[in-house]
């Protein structure tokens, strides 16, 4: 269990999705109202896994921890000064004795300099440790490697191989935990496990792929610039390394590299790659928010009195750029469209390796009898648990492979995005990052499932209660209210009759914008669909 007050402690983001972006109640209770921003206005840079943050508030006004969804809630501050609300399942609170960063050569990365975080905990065999004070035969701050020992003492060696033995060492030292940050020629870079984009730099982290030939074409620690990308490899230029094979341009398997994102850039590193291929068109979400904010600041600057008034052409230029930027709703629509396309034609996944088999989806949609499908996909949608399961079944031997997608707390459920995530996980393929970064919907539409958050009504015979769930029959934007039919209500007869009630904007929130036929039943019983 955590101590009651952890204010000022450092923490590491372990699950970037365990964040509440717009919960005013939590932010106010913890004393930092600006940590909650409406989703449609949220222009903050979302922390990434491995980022170091500072805990600002760990207790509420009563001095006790604040709980939400079975976990403790914190206000944290990122390195850029922005504040966020995180649950304890998304953080690892670091010990008070954590001190600074140590830079050492990592032989597992070919001797590349890597940043290590000092953590006060029991050391395991094989880990590197330092001590916070001099001891007999031990130098403060000097790294040692644990080679063995019992549950208490430890045998360890320094970089010269000198052997030492100390009792109580394993429980009284600072362990050097490797981070994803490395340094190349003084430049700080983060290693990110995702598909590279054209022009990005990557680092080789293994030589297990078939294109490596056991290190003949590239070796661990090599740096390369990407010149071509596909789903399974990149074609990259390795000539910046001291040694390279023949011309230095070779394929690198997807599992053998990590993308290098700069940590010292003035602009935040993009969350998604910036590719020109049609299937990567939506991967500009993170940068788009920053660009819009920059354009808005420029408009404000042009409107501010100065020595020379802004010309009509200058204002028109900036406004034209703003008008071309997509809204959060348009970005979400694009992502949902891509998710639908991802699962609509299964033939593009033909030949993907899954346990014990290679999938073979035949074009059986137009004429089911034209081919015998070797594999089928069945989707199980559970709206109460906010999950989608993709089940790939071989029609000849019955072997099954599953993938699951679960909507994060506070996000709006969309079964199309869930299907695409679950299918790719069942196939063992990388899930495009935009599926996890889709903005919240900002426009209510017919078919959306909503939860009542207020008692607004048009004066009908009975208004909804807070917490009731309904489906939007129609929406009047000019009058800012929707006709909502009950799906699950505290008074059962209002769900059964299906009568709609006019509910004002602000008195309901969207919880599901799938707008598919299975929305007709918002029960806990899973809906099965076969593709």
């Amino acid at each position: 269990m955590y101590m009651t007050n952890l204010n000022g402690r450092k923490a590491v983001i372990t699950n970037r999705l365990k964040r509440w972006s717009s919960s005013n109640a939590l932010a106010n209770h913890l004393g930092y109202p600006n940590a909650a921003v409406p989703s449609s206005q949220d222009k903050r840079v979302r922390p990434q896994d491995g980022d170091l943050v500072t805990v600002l508030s760990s207790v509420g006004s009563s001095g006790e921890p604040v709980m939400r969804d079975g976990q403790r809630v914190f206000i944290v501050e990122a390195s850029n000064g922005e504040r966020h609300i995180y649950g304890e399942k998304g953080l690892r609170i670091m010990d008070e004795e954590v001190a600074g960063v140590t830079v050492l050569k990592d032989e597992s990365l070919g001797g590349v300099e890597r940043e290590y975080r000092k953590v006060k905990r029991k050391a395991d065999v094989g880990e590197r440790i330092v001590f916070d004070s001099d001891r007999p035969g031990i130098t403060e701050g000097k790294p040692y490697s644990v080679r063995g020992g019992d549950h208490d003492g430890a045998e360890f060696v320094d970089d010269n191989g000198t052997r030492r033995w100390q009792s109580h060492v394993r429980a009284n030292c600072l362990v050097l935990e490797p981070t994803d940050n490395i340094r190349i020629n003084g430049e700080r870079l983060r290693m990110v496990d995702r598909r590279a984009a054209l022009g990005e730099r990557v680092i080789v982290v293994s030589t297990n792929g078939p294109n490596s030939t056991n290190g003949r074409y590239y070796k661990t620690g090599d740096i390369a610039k990407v010149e071509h990308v596909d789903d399974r490899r990149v074609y990259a230029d390795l000539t910046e390394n001291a040694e390279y094979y023949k011309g230095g341009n070779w394929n690198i398997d997807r599992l053998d590299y990590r993308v290098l994102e700069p940590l010292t850039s003035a602009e935040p590193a993009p969350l998604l790659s910036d590719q020109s291929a049609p299937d990567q068109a939506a991967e500009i979400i993170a940068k788009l928010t920053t660009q819009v904010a920059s354009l808005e600041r420029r408009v404000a600057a042009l409107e501010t009195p100065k020595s020379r008034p802004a010309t009509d052409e200058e204002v028109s230029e900036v406004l034209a750029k703003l008008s071309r930027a997509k809204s959060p709703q348009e970005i979400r629509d694009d992502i949902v469209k891509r998710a639908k396309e991802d699962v609509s034609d299964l033939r593009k996944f033909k030949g993907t390796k899954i346990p014990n088999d290679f999938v073979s989806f035949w074009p059986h949609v137009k004429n089911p009898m034209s081919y015998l499908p070797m594999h089928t996909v069945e989707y199980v949608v559970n709206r109460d648990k906010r999950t989608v399961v993709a089940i790939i079944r071989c029609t000849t031997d019955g072997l099954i492979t599953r993938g699951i997608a679960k909507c994060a707390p506070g996000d709006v459920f969309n079964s199309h995005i869930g299907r695409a995530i679950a299918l790719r996980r069942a196939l063992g393929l990388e899930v495009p990052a935009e599926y996890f970064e889709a903005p919240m919907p900002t426009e209510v539409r017919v078919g959306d499932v909503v939860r009542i958050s207020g008692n607004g009504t048009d004066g009908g015979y009975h208004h909804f209660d807070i917490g009731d769930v309904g489906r939007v029959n129609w929406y009047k934007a000019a009058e800012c209210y929707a006709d909502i039919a009950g799906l699950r209500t505290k008074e059962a007869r209002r769900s059964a009759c299906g009568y709609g009630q006019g509910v004002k904007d602000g008195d309901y929130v969207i919880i599901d914008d799938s707008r598919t036929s299975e929305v007709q039943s918002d029960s806990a019983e899973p809906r099965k669909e076969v593709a």
Side-chain angles (χ1 to χ4, degrees):
M1 295 293 291
Y2 287 127
M3 296 168 51
T4 301
N5 194 326
L6 296 169
N7 296 355
R9 289 280 191 90
K10 295 294 183 182
V12 178
I13 302 296
T14 57
N15 188 336
R16 60 190 173 85
L17 300 179
K18 301 298 183 182
R19 184 186 77 141
W20 286 280
S21 62
S22 57
S23 178
N24 291 320
L26 287 175
N28 290 329
H29 198 174
L30 287 164
Y32 286 86
N34 63 350
V37 179
S39 299
S40 60
Q41 304 172 20
D42 195 353
K43 300 174 182 177
R44 295 172 296 177
V45 178
R46 176 174 288 195
Q48 298 298 295
D49 291 352
D51 283 358
L52 195 65
V53 296
T54 303
V55 177
L56 296 182
S57 181
S58 58
V59 295
S61 55
S62 64
E64 294 298 322
V66 176
M67 305 297 294
R68 178 75 173 270
D69 295 342
Q71 59 180 309
R72 188 172 175 181
V73 180
F74 302 92
I75 301 293
V76 302
E77 184 174 77
S79 58
N80 62 0
E82 294 174 340
R83 294 161 180 175
H84 306 267
I85 309 171
Y86 264 91
E88 63 179 325
K89 295 180 181 179
L91 297 171
R92 178 168 60 83
I93 305 295
M94 301 177 69
D95 194 276
E96 286 181 308
E97 295 189 44
V98 172
V101 171
T102 298
V103 180
L104 299 172
K105 290 185 177 181
D106 187 348
E107 298 305 324
S108 68
L109 289 177
V112 171
E113 289 188 336
R114 188 169 190 168
E115 294 183 2
Y116 291 78
R117 186 183 300 112
K118 298 177 184 178
V119 180
K120 178 72 173 179
R121 65 168 173 81
K122 182 177 179 180
D124 292 325
V125 174
E127 290 188 306
R128 287 174 132 176
I129 58 175
V130 295
F131 297 91
D132 53 5
S133 62
D134 287 339
R135 302 179 182 212
I138 296 175
T139 304
E140 176 186 355
K142 183 177 181 178
Y144 298 90
S145 299
V146 178
R147 291 289 185 251
D150 55 25
H151 67 283
D152 189 11
E155 179 185 39
F156 55 95
V157 299
D158 60 20
D159 290 341
N160 296 323
T162 305
R163 301 168 67 88
R164 296 280 188 269
W165 173 272
Q166 288 282 321
S167 63
H168 306 292
V169 161
R170 296 182 67 184
N172 293 280
C173 63
L174 295 172
V175 178
L176 297 178
E177 290 187 348
T179 70
D180 289 330
N181 300 339
I182 64 173
R183 299 187 182 186
I184 299 175
N185 297 326
E187 182 182 7
R188 296 183 67 231
L189 302 159
R190 176 189 288 126
M191 298 183 295
V192 181
D193 187 5
R194 63 170 172 83
R195 184 167 60 179
L198 187 65
E200 287 188 309
R201 296 167 76 201
V202 299
I203 181 172
V204 176
V205 296
S206 69
T207 55
N208 299 322
N211 288 307
S212 169
T213 315
N214 296 321
R216 180 181 184 185
Y217 296 104
Y218 54 83
K219 61 185 182 298
T220 302
D222 279 352
I223 308 298
K225 185 175 181 181
V226 177
E227 297 182 341
H228 178 72
V229 181
D230 63 32
D231 287 337
R232 302 191 178 187
R233 63 188 64 85
V234 296
Y235 183 73
D237 180 2
L238 294 132
T239 57
E240 69 175 273
N241 301 289
E243 297 179 0
Y244 51 87
Y245 185 71
K246 292 188 176 180
N249 293 78
W250 302 104
N251 287 322
I252 304 176
D253 278 74
R254 169 65 186 87
L255 298 178
D256 282 349
Y257 71 78
R258 297 292 182 268
V259 178
L260 296 177
E261 292 183 350
L263 288 171
T264 55
S265 172
E267 291 290 332
L271 297 178
L272 309 175
S273 57
D274 186 12
Q275 299 185 41
S276 58
D279 66 342
Q280 296 295 318
E283 296 193 20
I284 56 171
I285 298 172
K287 294 187 67 174
L288 179 61
T289 302
T290 303
Q291 292 168 357
V292 171
S294 175
L295 290 171
E296 288 176 340
R297 288 194 296 270
R298 186 176 172 189
V299 169
L302 290 173
E303 293 175 345
T304 302
K306 52 187 178 179
S307 58
R308 178 184 66 80
T311 65
D312 291 341
E313 290 77 10
E314 289 175 327
V315 175
S316 297
E317 177 189 355
V318 175
L319 291 178
K321 290 182 178 179
L322 278 173
S323 66
R324 290 195 297 269
K326 290 186 178 181
S327 68
Q329 183 65 61
E330 290 173 325
I331 295 172
R332 184 177 180 87
D333 290 343
D334 287 345
I335 294 173
V336 172
K337 180 181 178 181
R338 176 178 173 181
K340 291 179 179 179
E341 294 172 348
D342 222 4
V343 300
S344 63
D345 186 0
L346 301 176
R347 288 172 292 178
K348 63 185 176 183
F349 299 113
K350 179 181 177 182
T352 301
K353 180 71 171 70
I354 61 176
N356 303 316
D357 209 350
F358 289 88
V359 295
S360 179
F361 297 116
W362 292 89
H364 61 284
V365 177
K366 293 184 179 180
N367 183 2
M369 301 304 295
S370 61
Y371 296 95
L372 176 63
M374 295 297 294
H375 292 87
T376 61
V377 180
E378 175 185 336
Y379 298 102
V380 181
V381 180
N382 189 317
R383 297 189 175 282
D384 275 5
K385 293 184 178 181
R386 295 156 59 83
T387 60
V388 179
V389 179
I391 303 173
I392 300 176
R393 180 178 286 105
C394 180
T395 59
T396 56
D397 57 21
L399 287 176
I400 289 176
T401 304
R402 292 182 176 87
I404 186 170
K406 185 172 185 179
C407 186
D411 283 353
V412 174
F413 179 78
N414 186 283
S415 64
H416 305 295
I417 296 177
R419 286 183 178 88
I421 294 173
L423 175 62
R424 285 182 168 269
R425 285 177 171 169
L427 293 169
L429 298 176
E430 179 184 13
V431 180
E434 80 254 24
Y435 289 160
F436 302 113
E437 299 288 342
M440 301 284 273
T442 57
E443 300 174 12
V444 63
R445 295 173 181 174
V446 173
D448 284 348
V449 177
V450 299
R451 179 181 292 115
I452 306 301
S453 57
N455 286 325
T457 180
D458 64 353
Y461 73 97
H462 195 302
H463 60 71
F464 288 116
D465 293 317
I466 294 176
D468 285 350
V469 173
R471 185 182 63 254
V472 176
N473 285 338
W474 47 262
Y475 177 68
K476 289 187 176 181
E479 300 178 22
C480 296
Y481 82 94
D483 181 82
I484 299 174
L487 291 177
R488 187 172 65 241
T489 63
K490 294 178 181 178
E491 187 179 331
R493 68 182 181 87
R494 285 186 282 119
S495 293
C497 70
Y499 291 151
Q501 297 286 312
V503 181
K504 300 175 183 177
D505 282 2
D507 284 338
Y508 60 89
V509 293
I510 302 171
I511 61 174
D512 184 337
D513 65 346
S514 305
R515 294 187 289 275
T516 53
S517 58
E518 72 269 19
V519 177
Q520 301 295 332
S521 175
D522 195 53
S523 66
E525 182 179 350
R527 168 90 174 190
K528 294 187 177 181
E529 297 189 355
V530 178

Coordinates of all heavy atoms in Angstrom, one line a residue, residues 10-13 48 50-54 77-79 94 117:
K10 N 8.7 11.4 -7.3 CA 8.8 11.2 -8.8 C 8.1 9.9 -9.1 O 7.9 9.0 -8.3 CB 10.3 11.1 -9.2 CG 11.1 12.3 -9.0 CD 10.6 13.4 -10.0 CE 11.5 14.7 -9.9 NZ 11.0 15.8 -10.8
A11 N 7.5 9.8 -10.3 CA 6.8 8.6 -10.7 C 7.1 8.4 -12.2 O 7.4 9.3 -12.9 CB 5.3 8.8 -10.5
V12 N 7.0 7.2 -12.6 CA 7.2 6.8 -14.0 C 5.9 6.3 -14.6 O 5.1 5.6 -14.0 CB 8.2 5.6 -14.1 CG1 8.4 5.2 -15.6 CG2 9.6 6.0 -13.5
I13 N 5.5 6.9 -15.8 CA 4.3 6.4 -16.5 C 4.5 5.0 -17.0 O 5.5 4.7 -17.8 CB 4.0 7.4 -17.7 CG1 3.8 8.8 -17.2 CG2 2.7 6.9 -18.4 CD1 2.7 9.0 -16.2
Q48 N 4.0 9.8 -22.3 CA 4.2 8.4 -22.8 C 4.8 7.5 -21.8 O 5.4 7.9 -20.8 CB 5.2 8.6 -24.0 CG 4.7 9.4 -25.2 CD 3.4 8.9 -25.8 OE1 3.4 7.8 -26.4 NE2 2.3 9.6 -25.6
G50 N 7.2 5.4 -19.7 CA 8.6 5.7 -19.5 C 8.9 7.1 -19.1 O 10.0 7.4 -18.6
D51 N 8.0 8.0 -19.3 CA 8.2 9.4 -18.9 C 8.2 9.6 -17.4 O 7.5 8.9 -16.7 CB 7.1 10.3 -19.5 CG 7.3 10.6 -21.0 OD1 8.3 10.1 -21.5 OD2 6.4 11.3 -21.6
L52 N 9.1 10.5 -16.9 CA 9.2 10.8 -15.5 C 8.3 12.0 -15.2 O 8.4 13.0 -15.9 CB 10.7 11.1 -15.2 CG 11.0 11.1 -13.7 CD1 10.9 9.7 -13.1 CD2 12.5 11.5 -13.5
V53 N 7.5 11.9 -14.2 CA 6.6 13.0 -13.8 C 6.7 13.2 -12.3 O 7.3 12.4 -11.6 CB 5.1 12.6 -14.1 CG1 4.9 12.5 -15.6 CG2 4.6 11.4 -13.4
T54 N 6.2 14.3 -11.8 CA 6.2 14.6 -10.4 C 4.8 14.6 -9.8 O 3.9 15.2 -10.4 CB 6.8 16.0 -10.2 OG1 8.1 16.1 -10.8 CG2 6.9 16.4 -8.7
E77 N 2.6 16.2 -12.6 CA 3.1 17.3 -13.5 C 4.2 16.8 -14.4 O 5.2 16.2 -13.9 CB 3.7 18.5 -12.7 CG 4.1 19.7 -13.6 CD 4.5 20.9 -12.7 OE1 5.6 20.9 -12.2 OE2 3.7 21.8 -12.6
A78 N 4.1 16.9 -15.7 CA 5.0 16.5 -16.7 C 6.2 17.4 -16.8 O 6.2 18.5 -16.2 CB 4.4 16.3 -18.1
S79 N 7.2 17.1 -17.5 CA 8.4 17.9 -17.6 C 8.2 19.3 -18.3 O 8.9 20.2 -18.1 CB 9.5 17.2 -18.4 OG 9.1 16.8 -19.7
M94 N 8.2 6.2 -7.5 CA 9.6 5.9 -7.2 C 9.9 6.2 -5.8 O 9.3 7.1 -5.1 CB 10.5 6.7 -8.2 CG 10.2 6.4 -9.6 SD 11.2 7.4 -10.8 CE 12.8 6.7 -10.5
R117 N 18.0 4.7 -14.4 CA 17.3 5.4 -13.3 C 17.7 4.7 -12.0 O 17.7 3.4 -11.9 CB 15.8 5.3 -13.5 CG 15.0 6.0 -12.6 CD 13.5 5.8 -12.9 NE 13.2 6.3 -14.2 CZ 12.8 5.5 -15.2 NH1 12.8 4.2 -15.0 NH2 12.5 5.9 -16.4

